[in-house]
Amino acid sequence: MRKTLLQSLIGPSLTEPAPPEIGDAVELARELDSVAQRKLGRSLSIREVDAGSCNGCELEIHALNNAFYDLERFGLRFVASPRHADVLLVTGPVTRNMRDALLRTYHATPDPKWVVAVGRCARDGGLFAASRACVGGVDAVVPVDVYIDGCPPPPTDLLRGLLRLLRPTL
Ligand code: SF4
């Protein structure tokens, strides 16, 4: 027991080496934080809405806050209520079951607000466009400010999309 404790105190950390794209993500997150501070005077608050995705897009969104990326340190905040959000990050084709929930979430978000459609399905329904369970892309229900393409888009593309939102010249 004592040996294990000593090893954990003086030994190297037991994690895998970070993948190379972490460096790009950190730079993008720093930039996003500084643009948000200039534009909003605080960090960007994001409410994620899964309107019917396969969860592939969610895995990439969750990666933004995993132990490798840890982007919360740059002020990128995911909030539990749309009432605290600046941005709705919406994934998936919009299913009939989620249509009203998305609309209610949109109306519960205070103005001014932005909507970002994440992934190919959020643009136009993607793989699921022909399904009778779907009503289409996100803009079939609420207005969209920025589209982030990909199936799914990786964390660096998510950050570039959010930067495009705050700095439309990008
Ligand atoms: S874009 Fe791809 S990963 Fe995202 S919900 Fe659609 S099928 Fe899934």
Side-chain angles (χ1 to χ4, degrees):
M1 177 67 186
R2 185 182 292 178
K3 192 176 159 207
T4 310
L5 188 63
L6 210 59
Q7 266 173 355
S8 68
L9 287 175
I10 59 173
S13 58
L14 298 175
T15 56
E16 297 164 25
E21 62 270 21
I22 295 291
D24 289 347
V26 165
E27 281 314 305
L28 287 163
R30 278 208 178 98
E31 207 177 333
L32 185 61
D33 188 34
S34 106
V35 179
Q37 291 295 338
R38 277 203 308 277
K39 201 152 181 165
L40 307 172
R42 55 178 169 73
S43 305
L44 192 67
S45 297
I46 300 168
R47 169 70 186 163
E48 203 262 335
V49 182
D50 176 351
S53 95
C54 73
N55 275 358
C57 286
E58 272 64 34
L59 288 175
E60 300 299 316
I61 292 170
H62 291 169
L64 292 170
N65 272 336
N66 71 14
F68 284 138
Y69 288 88
D70 186 21
L71 296 186
E72 200 151 323
R73 66 194 147 137
F74 299 113
L76 199 74
R77 288 198 319 131
F78 284 86
V79 293
S81 163
R83 298 190 195 284
H84 304 153
D86 304 302
V87 180
L88 295 180
L89 204 60
V90 189
T91 62
V94 183
T95 58
R96 290 190 192 285
N97 284 348
M98 279 300 290
R99 185 188 172 282
D100 288 354
L102 175 59
L103 209 51
R104 283 208 307 276
T105 304
Y106 179 78
H107 289 306
T109 310
D111 289 320
K113 57 193 163 203
W114 292 294
V115 175
V116 176
V118 174
R120 175 63 208 272
C121 296
R123 182 180 275 281
D124 58 9
L127 283 175
F128 309 102
S131 166
R132 66 184 168 80
C134 298
V135 298
V138 175
D139 62 8
V141 180
V142 295
V144 172
D145 298 283
V146 162
Y147 294 90
I148 303 175
D149 278 325
C151 180
T156 44
D157 286 1
L158 294 170
L159 291 167
R160 282 194 192 95
L162 289 169
L163 260 174
R164 239 183 315 128
L165 182 73
L166 294 185
R167 237 179 33 194
T169 48
L170 269 181

